[in-house]
Every structure is written in structure tokens, then in C-alpha cells.
Amino acid sequence: NAGVTQTPKFRILKIGQSMTLQCTQDMNHNYMYWYRQDPGMGLKLIYYSVGAGITDKGEVPNGYNVSRSTTEDFPLRLELAAPSQTSVYFCASSYPDGGEAFFGQGTRLTVV
Amino acid sequence: EDQVTQSPEALRLQEGESSSLNCSYTVSGLRGLFWYRQDPGKGPEFLFTLYSAGEEKEKERLKATLTKKESFLHITAPKPEDSATYLCAVQAPQGAQKLVFGQGTRLTINP
């Protein structure tokens, strides 16, 4: 059982470049999330989705976009990368009560 | 605004030395409080959910408790494999899809 799978694990971007972080889950969860984690800080919610075709902003959405065309996939798009987006990104999914979330292994992104 | 503060930021114990981690929270109506464990380079892994003051949950050497203002994660006779960062998160009713996380406590158990 794969759970939540994120790709890539590591990436270095130059300022102004764009990229998509991939996330897929095989647990048939309706709810999916993107968080970022900076050193010594808690996880901050970027975007979330309660089902295919439905997305909404979290605490820190600026500079990011998401889409949810299927239950399984929830990609995160970075347009015009900035150094402030250097972070570790986690995708997660959960059942509709939103509590017990299952996390992927993370993507460590560095913008130089 | 919902807030979660964890203390201490880091804790170093000897194997077998019991202690507690604190999670203080401010939320307008608590729907649930969650504890996660995070190993270096990995995603958080779910440990416990607590819903109401007075509730307790146990798993091996860990016990989580909840009051109206804070939660404690008690670690009894810890082993080196308990070394990890422990994260606390709260869920408010109006933000049912959203968890607000604390900054975590980095726990190191020395053999």
C-alpha cells in the first residue's frame, strides 16, 4: 500500500523558473492538502481540496496554484519561483472528518 | 486566530528518563487535537487524536492527555528509537479541513 507519494524528493530551481510538485494517493481519500515546513517552524497550509474539482486557499497560498482533476492527484504549481519558496513541501490526504492525515515523504525545494 | 505553541523546543533525555512535552493552544471551539511524530527527512506520522478535556490516549511508551488549554505528551521510560520531532496540531470546527500546527519539540534519547 503506497499511501501518499510525492515527486520529486529534491529539486533546485533558479529564481523565476516554474515547476510542478506531484502528489498522488491510493487510499481514495476525498480531502487532500499541501503544506510547507520551514526550519524550526510548524507546517503551514498552502492549499487544500475536499474533492475533485474543488480547491481552496490555506494560510500561505501566494505564489502557488493547485488543481484537482481526479480523486488521486493533487499537483502543486510554483510560478516564478522566489527564494522565499525554499522549503520542504508535504502533501497529505485524509478522510472527510479532516483529522488523521496521511503525509507523503516530502519534497525539499531550494530556489537560488 | 487559532494558535499552537509547543515547549520545550528541544529536549534531551537519557534512556529510561521519563518526561513530558507540552502543547498549549488557543482555538475558538476545539474539534480535535492531534499528535504526530516526524523522523528526519520523513513526513509526519499520526499518533493520537483527542477530542475533549479529560481524554487520554496511550500507545506503547506514549500517553497523550488533554485539558481545555493544553495537551501533554508523556513519555515513560523512553528508548533511543523514540527520538523524533513531535508535532501538535488543532482543528477548529469552522476550519474542519485545516490543521494548525505547533513548531514541534525535537526529542533526543541518549542510550
Side-chain angles (χ1 to χ4, degrees):
Chain A
N1 191 353
V4 178
T5 302
Q6 292 182 236
T7 56
K9 287 187 169 53
F10 303 93
R11 183 73 185 267
I12 298 175
L13 277 183
K14 293 185 178 179
I15 295 172
Q17 288 185 321
S18 301
M19 76 164 293
T20 299
L21 282 66
Q22 301 291 346
C23 175
T24 187
Q25 53 95 5
D26 62 0
M27 295 172 283
N28 203 33
H29 287 160
N30 283 331
Y31 287 17
M32 295 189 74
Y33 317 81
W34 275 105
Y35 289 90
R36 61 176 287 172
Q37 186 176 36
D38 299 313
M41 305 288 286
L43 283 79
K44 301 288 186 186
L45 183 65
I46 305 171
Y47 271 94
Y48 67 96
S49 169
V50 300
I54 306 169
T55 62
D56 206 349
K57 296 177 181 179
E59 290 180 79
V60 290
N62 291 342
Y64 307 95
N65 277 300
V66 294
S67 59
R68 184 95 182 271
S69 57
T70 67
T71 299
E72 294 77 21
D73 300 308
F74 190 40
L76 178 72
R77 178 83 177 161
L78 278 72
E79 306 280 3
L80 299 174
S84 60
Q85 294 178 304
T86 294
S87 188
V88 181
Y89 292 83
F90 288 101
C91 178
S93 68
S94 75
Y95 294 109
D97 68 5
E100 180 185 344
F102 296 81
F103 285 81
Q105 297 276 44
T107 295
R108 183 174 296 274
L109 175 68
T110 303
V111 181
V112 296
Chain B
E1 183 180 330
D2 302 335
Q3 282 193 318
V4 178
T5 303
Q6 292 186 246
S7 61
E9 287 188 12
L11 181 62
R12 191 177 291 270
L13 301 172
Q14 291 298 120
E15 184 172 1
E17 181 184 0
S18 302
S19 188
S20 298
L21 312 182
N22 177 263
C23 170
S24 297
Y25 64 90
T26 303
V27 63
S28 49
L30 180 70
R31 180 174 168 139
L33 184 140
F34 304 85
W35 283 97
Y36 285 83
R37 171 192 170 124
Q38 186 175 25
D39 292 304
K42 301 288 179 74
E45 180 182 342
F46 172 79
L47 290 173
F48 303 110
T49 308
L50 301 166
Y51 294 104
S52 57
E55 189 175 359
E56 298 183 354
K57 294 274 181 72
E58 283 190 70
K59 180 179 180 180
E60 296 182 356
R61 295 174 292 282
L62 300 177
K63 183 169 81 171
T65 62
L66 181 65
T67 72
K68 290 187 177 180
K69 293 184 179 180
E70 57 191 351
S71 176
F72 292 94
L73 185 65
H74 306 279
I75 302 176
T76 302
K79 299 181 178 181
E81 54 262 40
D82 294 322
S83 297
T85 296
Y86 290 86
L87 299 170
C88 172
V90 297
Q91 184 183 33
Q94 65 272 24
Q97 296 80 23
K98 307 171 191 177
L99 294 178
V100 177
F101 281 85
Q103 79 278 23
T105 293
R106 188 172 65 254
L107 177 66
T108 304
I109 309 299
N110 294 317

